[in-house]
Amino acid sequence: MDGLLGKLGMDRKMALGYFGVLIFMMGDGLELGWLSSYFTDHGLSVQQSALVFSVYGFAVAVAAWLSGVLAEVLGPRKAMMLGLSLFVAGTLVFLTFGITSMNLAIILPTYALRGLGYPLFAYSFLVWVTYYAPSDKLGTAVGWFWFAFSGGLNVLGAYYSSFALPVLGEMKTLWSALIFVLLGATVAIFLNKDKNHSKKFENKSEALKYLLKGVTIAFENPKIGMGGIVRTINTSAAYGFVVFMPAFMMDLGFTRSEWLQIYGSLWTSNIIFNLIFGIVGDKLGWRNTVMWFGGVGCAVFTVAFYYVPLAAGPNYFVATAVAACYGACLAGFVPLSALIPSLAPENRGAAMSILNLGAGLSTFVGPAIVGAFIGLVDTVGVIWIYTGLYLISAVLMKFVTLSKKEAEEAERVSLEEFQNAQKA
């Protein structure tokens, strides 16, 4: 088994952690593809639904930023346990008081509370991975993380919902999320064999200083800041799609189950290419992979995701193929998780906080663009805004370079961390 995992680029000590993240994120993401249409079917407007997802995304962004530095201050396991606690508490209050009332004043804070949980859980584990993996395998290691993350959040969650909704209904399907979250957390936190990496702080002042490092590092090293902007753009359209694309696709003649399966195919392709582009990034260069496959590729297939179904009509197989191509290009951004921490090898947690902040902001920016512009420029205008952002991300990556000195330093620190982990 160890030999097989080694050939796949996954260390046996971290394998259970990846599996736990997969199951946890399945519970977190099972409502992602249909909750917006549920809101609009029960009295909210598209703009109000976008507001809910934007506020949720803001909470995700805050927790995502905190995850990197909290993983350093508390250690990854404790940070992940904090994320689990917040997710469970948020789910309980949202399902008990929020969605049952369909009162926006209650839905906004309760769903936002739920959004604080998963970034602390998942992104703290990502920090754990970046410290443990050797530099020459880091792209593959983070590829496995995004395989597990996206596979749970967007694939298994979507497919599970497509079959569970007709049987359980919306509310019971939402409650079932707790089963997957608790199971995944048990595996990732308590059964994962690797020891924590944790930075030791002598006092609270030192810990607070490092917390602030998760902001200042973006200005001290502008390439890290630009990487955070690119990461924000990366999945912003994907999170925006769930706000308005279900209605668009159903207006074309697709059923809700077909839409969920098309959306699931997008992320099925994505998780496969997360691994492929992790390996490709290690071979062809992290920056070039992000710039061409990620930025330019996503720009092309964002446009196609709108115009091809519009021209072909409710053709399930054609729409699925286009969605899969977009999902594949979305994975082109995976090497960012190797490139950005390598720019600050002594402060990887802080650097990852900027990257995680970008990941969280994408869940805010994507729906916010819909809420702000769909009334002005309609669906097609929103599609072109996302397309323009992807092209901007490609241009920004031209400047996010890893010098020979930075690469050597990253390799040295990574080797020390890896040797310490092997001795543990």
Side-chain angles (χ1 to χ4, degrees), residues 281-322:
D282 285 339
K283 302 294 183 182
L284 299 183
W286 297 332
R287 184 191 65 160
N288 289 334
T289 301
V290 174
M291 182 166 53
W292 293 107
F293 291 103
V296 176
C298 279
V300 171
F301 286 104
T302 296
V303 173
F305 200 26
Y306 173 81
Y307 284 103
V308 171
L310 189 66
N315 187 315
Y316 174 80
F317 295 104
V318 170
T320 298
V322 174

Side-chain angles (χ1 to χ4, degrees), residues 144-310:
W144 273 112
F145 169 80
W146 291 113
F147 176 93
F149 181 93
S150 298
L153 180 67
N154 299 300
V155 179
L156 294 182
Y159 281 117
Y160 168 76
S161 289
S162 73
F163 296 110
L165 286 171
V167 178
L168 300 178
E170 287 88 352
M171 289 304 297
K172 288 182 180 178
T173 299
L174 287 170
W175 278 109
S176 69
L178 291 174
I179 298 172
F180 299 108
V181 164
L182 292 172
L183 176 61
T186 298
V187 173
I189 297 174
F190 302 109
L191 299 183
N192 190 36
K193 295 181 180 180
D194 186 49
K195 288 187 177 182
N196 268 342
H197 164 86
S198 59
K199 189 180 285 287
K200 302 299 182 182
F201 298 95
E202 296 180 359
N203 51 58
K204 292 181 179 179
S205 175
E206 188 178 337
L208 178 60
K209 183 179 179 181
Y210 194 82
L211 189 66
L212 294 175
K213 189 74 172 178
V215 174
T216 60
I217 196 169
F219 300 96
E220 295 166 3
N221 189 336
K223 289 187 286 188
I224 292 176
M226 284 189 282
I229 295 171
V230 172
R231 182 62 185 90
T232 301
I233 294 170
N234 176 7
T235 47
S236 60
Y239 289 117
F241 285 158
V242 300
V243 178
F244 69 97
M245 285 298 281
F248 170 72
M249 297 296 271
M250 284 184 270
D251 285 345
L252 292 179
F254 294 94
T255 66
R256 182 168 72 171
S257 291
E258 285 176 330
W259 157 249
L260 286 171
Q261 290 167 15
I262 291 168
Y263 188 69
S265 71
L266 184 161
W267 292 104
T268 301
S269 169
N270 176 257
I271 65 170
I272 295 170
F273 278 87
N274 280 342
L275 298 179
I276 293 173
F277 281 125
I279 297 169
V280 168
D282 285 339
K283 302 294 183 182
L284 299 183
W286 297 332
R287 184 191 65 160
N288 289 334
T289 301
V290 174
M291 182 166 53
W292 293 107
F293 291 103
V296 176
C298 279
V300 171
F301 286 104
T302 296
V303 173
F305 200 26
Y306 173 81
Y307 284 103
V308 171
L310 189 66

Side-chain angles (χ1 to χ4, degrees), residues 410-422:
E411 185 174 359
R412 182 191 66 78
V413 173
S414 180
L415 179 61
E416 290 178 359
E417 291 286 345
F418 181 71
Q419 290 172 341
N420 291 336
Q422 293 295 335

